[in-house]
Amino acid sequence: MNTAMILAGGKGTRFSEMTDKLPKPMIQAGNKPILIHIINLYVSYDVKNIIVLAGYKKNIISKFFSESLDRSLDEEDLYQLNDISIKVLDTGLETMTGGRLKRGIEYLNNDEDFFLTYGDALSDVNLNSLEEFHLLNKPIVTITAVRPPARFGSLELTDNVVEKFGEKDQTKEGWINGGFFVINNSIKDYISDDTTIFEKSPLENVSREGKLMAYRHNGFWQCADTIRELELLEKSISEIKYEENFKGL
C-alpha cells in the first residue's frame, strides 16, 4: 500500500488561538509542523505517495513545500523529494471530511486500498500491522482504536469513602477513533457530496453492514485540539519512533 491521504482542510475552530493564522496541521510541535511528523511516519513505512487534502489556508501548506522541496513542472502543487511525492490537493474551503476524502479518491484513480488520517494527531502505530489486519479481514474501512489520554486521577468510592486513589489510568478510558485508517476505495459509494461528514453516515452505514473493523492500538497517541493537548504532544514527541526523512524541513 503506497498511498496515504491526510485530512488537512478544516478550519480548526476549537484551536482558534493559532488557527486564525495557520491551518492546524501546520502548527509546530517539536520545531516542525505536525503535518511533517505525520508524513515522516508514513514514509518510514515506505509509503511514498502522500496526498494532503487541503482547504482552509491551503496556500500556507503549498508555500511551505514549495520552499522546501522540488516542484513538479508537470502538475500544480505536486512536490518531490527523491522518490517521495507530496500532492497538496485543494478540496475546497467549506467541504466536509467525506467530501474531501471523495475528492482525494477521484484524484487517486486506481488505488484499491489506501491509508487516511487526520492532520492533528500523532501516533507510533505500526502501519505494517494495521495494513495486514485490513488485508486479512477485508472490511471497507479499518479504523485504529486508541485509548484517549487520561486527563484526571481516578477515585474508587464506597459511601463517600475513597477506597482507592489512583494515578491517571489510560486503560480505563475506553476506546476512541484515533484516525489512522485503511480504506477501500469503494467507500466513495457511501459519500454523497461535499457536505458529507465521513464520520457520520458513511461510517455509520459501513458499520451497519459489518464492514467496519477496529485495529486496537495500545501505544502512543495524542491529538492537538487545544493548547494543552499541543503541550502534551510536544512533551511526548520523542516517543514517536520513525526515521526523520525530512531532516531539512
Side-chain angles (χ1 to χ4, degrees):
M1 207 170 296
N2 192 45
T3 297
M5 297 190 203
I6 304 171
L7 288 161
K11 296 180 181 178
T13 53
R14 283 180 291 185
F15 206 160
S16 58
E17 305 97 315
M18 302 187 78
T19 55
D20 60 335
K21 297 182 178 66
L22 290 171
K24 190 158 58 166
M26 296 305 292
I27 293 172
Q28 298 260 327
N31 299 316
K32 66 181 61 181
I34 297 171
L35 179 62
I36 299 304
H37 290 293
I38 296 170
I39 291 174
N40 269 313
L41 173 64
Y42 281 112
V43 171
S44 72
Y45 283 90
D46 213 32
V47 179
K48 302 293 183 69
N49 183 33
I50 309 295
I51 303 174
V52 180
L53 303 175
Y56 176 69
K57 296 189 181 296
K58 168 198 165 287
N59 61 306
I60 293 177
I61 300 175
S62 294
K63 184 173 185 288
F64 178 87
F65 287 117
S66 68
E67 293 176 347
S68 308
L69 304 179
D70 293 330
R71 189 185 311 189
S72 171
L73 299 177
D74 301 320
E75 186 176 332
E76 184 180 6
D77 283 323
L78 179 64
Y79 307 95
Q80 295 174 309
L81 177 64
N82 301 322
D83 59 345
I84 301 163
S85 70
I86 300 173
K87 171 69 175 181
V88 181
L89 187 65
D90 189 351
T91 58
L93 182 60
E94 302 297 336
T95 308
M96 296 292 102
T97 49
R100 297 190 195 284
L101 173 56
K102 190 166 188 174
R103 291 195 188 199
I105 293 172
E106 290 168 354
Y107 175 82
L108 269 184
N109 295 323
N110 296 321
D111 285 31
E112 185 175 357
D113 296 288
F114 56 91
F115 293 105
L116 172 77
T117 197
Y118 303 106
D120 62 355
L122 298 177
S123 177
D124 63 355
V125 59
N126 186 310
L127 296 178
N128 288 338
S129 297
L130 173 62
E131 180 179 359
E132 289 170 7
F133 178 91
H134 178 82
L135 295 176
L136 176 65
N137 292 283
K138 301 187 186 310
I140 291 177
V141 177
T142 296
I143 186 172
T144 297
V146 299
R147 301 283 193 184
R151 298 173 185 271
F152 308 102
S154 61
L155 299 177
E156 293 183 13
L157 304 178
T158 301
D159 296 329
N160 297 324
V161 176
V162 178
E163 296 287 347
K164 182 179 180 182
F165 178 86
E167 292 296 323
K168 298 176 182 180
D169 186 357
Q170 188 182 36
T171 63
K172 293 183 179 181
E173 296 291 317
W175 297 93
I176 63 169
N177 169 16
F180 295 97
F181 302 89
V182 181
I183 301 178
N184 184 273
N185 67 16
S186 61
I187 191 66
K188 63 181 181 292
D189 299 330
Y190 295 78
I191 301 171
S192 300
D193 53 34
D194 283 353
T195 66
T196 303
I197 299 171
F198 175 56
E199 298 80 5
K200 296 292 187 180
S201 60
L203 287 186
E204 289 168 356
N205 290 330
V206 169
S207 177
R208 288 191 193 100
E209 295 174 8
K211 296 177 181 177
L212 174 65
M213 297 200 70
Y215 173 83
R216 300 189 188 203
H217 174 60
N218 285 294
F220 173 81
W221 179 88
Q222 178 66 57
C223 64
D225 238 3
T226 64
I227 289 287
R228 172 59 178 155
E229 288 173 343
L230 179 61
E231 291 171 349
L232 291 172
L233 179 61
E234 290 201 298
K235 286 181 181 178
S236 303
I237 206 87
S238 61
E239 296 183 34
I240 306 171
K241 309 298 184 185
Y242 55 74
E243 182 181 350
E244 291 288 342
N245 293 284
F246 291 116
K247 291 180 179 177
L249 298 188

